[in-house]
Amino acid sequence: MSQQTTGLFIWHLKKTGIRQVPCQFVHLCRVANDRLITFQYFNFLKRMYVTQYNKDLSQRAKPKSDSVASPFRESQQLDQEKKVIHKIIPISPVHQPLSKTSNINELKEMKLAAEIEGSATPLRAESKEERQWKEMKLRLDDLPGILARLSKIKLTALVVCTASAGFAMAPVPFDLTCFLLASLGTGLASCAANSINQFFEVPFDSNMNRTKNRPLVRGQISPLLAVCFAASCGVPGIALLTLGVNPLTGALGAFNIFLYTCCYTPMKRMSIANTWVGAVVGAIPPVMGWTAATGSLDAGALLLGGILYSWQFPHFNALSWGLREDYSRGGYCMMSVTHPGLCRRVALRHCVALIGLSTVAPVLDITTWTFPIISLPINLYISYLGFRFYRDADRSSSRKLFFCSLWHLPMLLLVMFSCKKSLLEKEEKGDLHGGSHGRAMEMRLP
């Protein structure tokens, strides 16, 4: 029966000659007419026609469903649902109005939530406040400590001590007024140089752990105040050295400020030669003390400057060895970072040079011959630590050499002062030379 109906349908299509039916469908029907067409085959032809010529009716891919949540998320959601269930407001009694009871319960819940949040989140609030930027307010009580850190008060004290040692070693009578003026002027010049140095190095100090708490980095004072403080220290200091002591000492003080701020500070990011320039800066204060007492540059002033010059290499190279990460992070070009082998060799070389410089002191008639003998043990000990630093090249040996340098310099200067030749001995020696010269002249005369 099905075959007869399909045959009649096809014959009807042929007779009517409907041109609206696509040609391919008619072609398929003609091919199918040559053989018996079943109902299933006709359905297949109909699906083919629909998929090819009516694509809007074709099946489309469904959008991808959301990924199935992990069991851990499901457990978290269950926990949240449990928490929400615990916060469900209980049903109010029938005899009370609904609005009043809901308002009362809401107020109670808000109070409980405020108490819980107040007790649980003070630490979080503090941590957020600490992380946020704050405006630093300067108080007058904190100003002296801030200015002391700005001027590097410990380094300034060391500079004044070395200048005092140079004044004390001069072969002239001690003048207390001149000594106080020279010490005060040298200290003010050092404060000015250190303040300008920190002003220039703010962006680089902020990257180093050792210097990130400096006043300008933390914003405790403004850069304008730092420059004003440097000017208020540098101008009176140089004027005091020039007018109160002598022009030579004032010129040395001004030259040292220029060398430290305009040469050493920018060279720290350009070349390892900054270490040698910094050593010259540290060698000038004892020379200033000598010139403040004598008014001239003598061999004794150069010897004291040479001792300070050589001492700074084991001191600073050992210090910089433990701060290599900080210096590289700050962008400073130091021997310990770029030339570690040279850093250790230079430290050892100048440790041995201290022995030779101590031996030259009695030759220049500054000390007696007991000075190189008494100073030999401490010079040999720092040379031994310098050799260990050169051989081991680790933090332990560098720290031992650094801490040894802290007590070696005051000990060496103290021994040098105790072995200083007295003024009477020099006068007697001068008289002897003058007397022998006079006798020779008398013998030559007729």
Side-chain angles (χ1 to χ4, degrees), residues 197-361:
N197 171 260
Q198 290 195 36
F199 171 77
F200 285 137
E201 293 184 341
V202 169
F204 309 100
D205 289 342
S206 60
N207 296 325
M208 299 172 60
N209 293 327
R210 188 174 67 94
T211 57
K212 66 182 181 181
N213 290 323
R214 285 179 174 176
L216 283 172
V217 177
R218 295 187 61 190
Q220 292 177 326
I221 59 172
S222 63
L224 179 61
L225 180 58
V227 173
C228 293
F229 173 73
S232 63
C233 290
V235 174
I238 299 302
L240 198 63
L241 291 173
T242 305
L243 303 176
V245 183
N246 54 59
L248 178 59
T249 308
L252 286 173
F255 174 70
N256 211 21
I257 293 176
F258 170 78
L259 196 64
Y260 187 70
T261 57
C262 299
C263 297
Y264 171 70
T265 300
M267 283 182 68
K268 288 167 70 176
R269 293 179 298 278
M270 294 188 294
S271 172
I272 62 171
N274 69 83
T275 307
W276 283 268
V277 177
V280 174
V281 173
I284 289 178
V287 179
M288 292 173 60
W290 184 284
T291 58
T294 62
S296 61
L297 273 172
D298 301 330
L302 298 178
L303 176 65
L304 285 171
I307 290 174
L308 263 294
Y309 178 83
S310 292
W311 172 83
Q312 286 178 90
F313 285 96
H315 171 76
F316 180 74
N317 287 13
L319 173 65
S320 63
W321 190 264
L323 300 172
R324 286 177 293 175
E325 294 83 1
D326 258 8
Y327 281 126
S328 60
R329 195 182 300 113
Y332 293 114
C333 189
M334 296 296 175
M335 272 193 292
S336 58
V337 179
T338 59
H339 299 77
L342 181 63
C343 176
R344 293 180 280 120
R345 287 196 302 271
V346 169
L348 177 60
R349 192 180 303 159
H350 283 276
C351 286
V352 178
L354 290 172
I355 301 174
L357 291 171
S358 300
T359 309
V360 174

Side-chain angles (χ1 to χ4, degrees), residues 167 172-182 244 292-293:
F167 191 95
V172 293
F174 184 78
D175 187 357
L176 181 60
T177 305
C178 183
F179 171 75
L180 293 176
L181 290 176

